[in-house]
Amino acid sequence: MTAQTDTQGSVTAVYKVTGMSCGHCEGSVSAEISGLPGVSSVTAVAASGEVTVVSTAPLDEEAVRAAVDEAGFELAGRA
């Protein structure tokens, strides 16, 4: 999936993250990605492994990968 721009000018992207199994995992991934510049919201769902990120501009995938790695998980790519 490619990033989508909504009417307010924000960009939504969905990523696949492997290894999340609980709410704590979701919180760790969300906290790390939330620290990236321009990110306004992050929703991580362990059951599906999907992380939805809303930002003011498209994010650099390597920056997202580094944030996910810092949380202890692996970015599998875009969902």
Side-chain angles (χ1 to χ4, degrees):
M1 176 182 156
T2 59
Q4 297 178 352
T5 304
D6 69 17
T7 55
Q8 285 89 27
S10 62
V11 178
T12 301
V14 181
Y15 299 93
K16 288 294 278 185
V17 174
T18 59
M20 292 190 301
S21 61
C22 65
H24 179 73
C25 299
E26 294 169 347
S28 295
V29 170
S30 294
E32 289 296 335
I33 295 175
S34 291
L36 295 175
V39 172
S40 55
S41 74
V42 181
T43 304
V45 180
S48 65
E50 291 188 346
V51 179
T52 303
V53 182
V54 179
S55 57
T56 55
L59 297 175
D60 175 58
E61 191 163 325
E62 287 308 309
V64 176
R65 184 176 308 282
V68 171
D69 287 347
E70 184 66 28
F73 302 95
E74 183 177 343
L75 180 67
R78 294 279 182 116

